[in-house]
Amino acid sequence: MKIYSVGGSVRDEILKEKSSDRDFVVVGATVEEFLKKFPNAKKIGSSFPVFLVDGAEYAFARIEKKSGPGYHGFEIESHPEVTLIEDLKRRDLTINAMAKDIETGEIIDPFGGIKDLDNKRIVHVTEAFAEDPLRAYRVARFASRFYDFSIDKTTIKLMNSLKNELNTLSVERVWTECLKALSSKKPARFFSVLDEAGVLDVHFPELLNLKNVPAGPVEYHPEDIDTFHHTVSALERVSDIQSGTDPLLSFSVICHDFGKALTNPDDYPHHHGHDKSGVELIKTFSKRLKVPKKFEEAAVIFTKNHMKISRIFEMTPSKALKLIQEMGKFPYSIEGFLKCVEADSGKPSDHLMTFIQQVLPALEVKLPEKWHNQGEKSAAMLNQLRIEKYKELKKQFLLT
């Protein structure tokens, strides 16, 4: 029996990066022989032997043969005669098709993964890549992590060939890949690669519909080709190549201009009301992909209010305070909201942040006890007291 570390952990070790993957492949052994060595192993695989040992997965080497459509359309053959090379051959990308002998430390690299890491290339292992539709999303996700890697043109073509099978994937699997991309160093590349492969419309039609739609008047969008380009650029600006991007912020930025796709072309380049019309599109999108509620709520808050923030100085005190309260409901509060504003506008929001911090104490004003328990009168009085405080604080800000 031989046991090898495989996949992401080998790749990341070569790159000298920290890895969360702990996957092993077992070669040349029966289940009985494996359990004799690992008596506490817990079986978790149903179609072929996979065991959990101390939090790590040990999968028996296997061969897969396409037998039907979709992610599950395979016949799996697993027995002691299946070789390590046969197991690695079924994997998606060369950089993921390497193994390390846990006894000797030898790296087994039959498909040139190390060379492709050196050359910063993402390339499929074999033509069998096109047998598994999930791989289209995996390539796009890896491209968002390895943002400076090129993607082999044939790999892009194979991604496109999977288009008809993408709908066989569960939306949970699609969202899992999307979420990993939204948390990566360059989340925008996930969507750009899917667009390049011609498969963006399958699960992300709201984004595809932004293509060829003007982003807005040229004085506000001088460098944006269209709304899709603007959205991708905004996502670039919210990303963090040092530590990875916050997915809640990424998702909010991705969704914020969905409503522009509904604008009557006669009204171009303006998109009056797109902030409101985009809300229902976000809800539809989130429901279709089973997006967690906190992501949907964050995107709705930002979309509804992203056009208002630039007008906060001209707003009535009542509307300004309401907007600040809404911003406070956003993930990471006002700071998170303004980070998305910066991504959208491409301009620093320091002045806005300073102003909001100046007037924020207005929302902390408490109602005097003599006005308690008077129903609507109490609410009206509290609102008036906060308005007066806001006016005072705003005046101080403008004088500084």
Side-chain angles (χ1 to χ4, degrees), residues 352-376:
L352 283 169
M353 189 68 198
T354 302
F355 172 69
I356 291 169
Q357 288 176 333
Q358 171 78 19
V359 300
L360 205 53
L363 288 172
E364 298 172 4
V365 171
K366 305 295 183 183
L367 188 68
E369 191 173 343
K370 66 178 181 179
W371 284 98
H372 286 191
N373 304 315
Q374 295 190 34
E376 292 183 2

Side-chain angles (χ1 to χ4, degrees), residues 112-128:
I114 293 176
K115 183 179 179 180
D116 287 330
L117 284 176
D118 290 340
N119 294 329
K120 296 189 174 184
R121 294 178 70 237
I122 293 174
V123 58
H124 60 285
V125 175
T126 69
E127 297 293 311

Side-chain angles (χ1 to χ4, degrees), residues 57-308:
E57 283 191 12
Y58 288 72
F60 280 53
R62 65 191 188 272
I63 298 171
E64 295 178 346
K65 296 179 181 178
K66 188 72 169 174
S67 59
Y71 177 70
H72 298 289
F74 293 91
E75 290 180 0
I76 298 177
E77 186 179 333
S78 180
H79 50 74
E81 286 72 40
V82 177
T83 68
L84 174 65
I85 304 302
E86 287 175 317
D87 183 89
L88 294 176
K89 188 177 181 179
R90 68 177 179 77
R91 295 176 183 267
D92 52 5
L93 303 173
T94 60
I95 61 174
N96 297 331
M98 296 180 285
K100 179 181 178 180
D101 189 318
I102 63 171
E103 294 178 353
T104 67
E106 178 192 3
I107 300 293
I108 296 90
D109 178 24
F111 305 105
I114 293 176
K115 183 179 179 180
D116 287 330
L117 284 176
D118 290 340
N119 294 329
K120 296 189 174 184
R121 294 178 70 237
I122 293 174
V123 58
H124 60 285
V125 175
T126 69
E127 297 293 311
F129 174 96
E131 293 178 353
D132 181 355
L134 185 64
R135 289 174 172 175
Y137 291 122
R138 280 176 59 82
V139 169
R141 191 249 296 177
F142 278 115
S144 67
R145 175 182 172 183
F146 301 113
Y147 58 91
D148 54 350
F149 281 39
S150 64
I151 305 176
D152 183 81
K153 290 183 179 179
T154 304
T155 304
I156 291 288
K157 289 180 180 178
L158 290 174
M159 290 172 66
N160 180 263
S161 73
L162 288 165
K163 184 168 185 173
N164 291 335
E165 284 198 59
L166 291 181
N167 274 320
T168 67
L169 295 171
S170 70
V171 292
E172 289 86 354
R173 294 307 298 260
V174 176
W175 171 249
T176 295
E177 294 300 318
C178 181
L179 179 59
K180 289 178 180 179
L182 292 173
S183 308
S184 70
K185 296 179 178 180
K186 287 286 184 180
R189 201 168 182 221
F190 178 79
F191 302 101
S192 296
V193 169
L194 293 179
D195 180 49
E196 183 183 354
V199 299
L200 185 66
D201 59 315
V202 178
H203 288 105
F204 304 97
E206 290 83 359
L207 276 172
L208 186 71
N209 290 341
L210 299 179
K211 299 198 78 172
N212 301 315
V213 173
V218 68
E219 58 265 34
Y220 300 113
H221 297 273
E223 298 178 0
D224 292 324
I225 298 169
D226 57 21
T227 305
F228 177 76
H229 177 263
H230 165 70
T231 300
V232 168
S233 297
L235 192 54
E236 287 276 359
R237 289 189 285 267
V238 85
S239 66
D240 187 342
I241 63 172
Q242 297 301 318
S243 59
T245 307
D246 188 285
L248 282 166
L249 303 187
S250 297
F251 187 75
S252 300
V253 169
I254 274 292
C255 296
H256 81 284
D257 273 347
F258 277 179
K260 288 184 178 179
L262 302 178
T263 301
N264 186 324
D266 292 340
D267 295 328
Y268 289 166
H270 299 283
H271 296 281
H272 301 300
H274 77 276
D275 43 352
K276 295 179 181 178
S277 61
V279 170
E280 286 306 313
L281 291 178
I282 293 170
K283 291 179 178 179
T284 299
F285 175 68
S286 299
K287 183 178 181 181
R288 190 177 66 249
L289 283 189
K290 296 185 179 179
V291 174
K293 199 68 178 175
K294 64 179 180 179
F295 284 85
E296 178 187 330
E297 290 172 349
V300 167
I301 290 171
F302 182 60
T303 298
K304 284 171 62 178
N305 296 291
H306 76 282
M307 293 296 292
K308 297 176 183 177

Side-chain angles (χ1 to χ4, degrees), residues 310-322:
S310 63
R311 304 191 298 270
I312 193 168
F313 294 102
E314 292 77 43
M315 285 180 178
T316 64
S318 181
K319 287 184 176 180
L321 288 171
K322 184 177 180 181

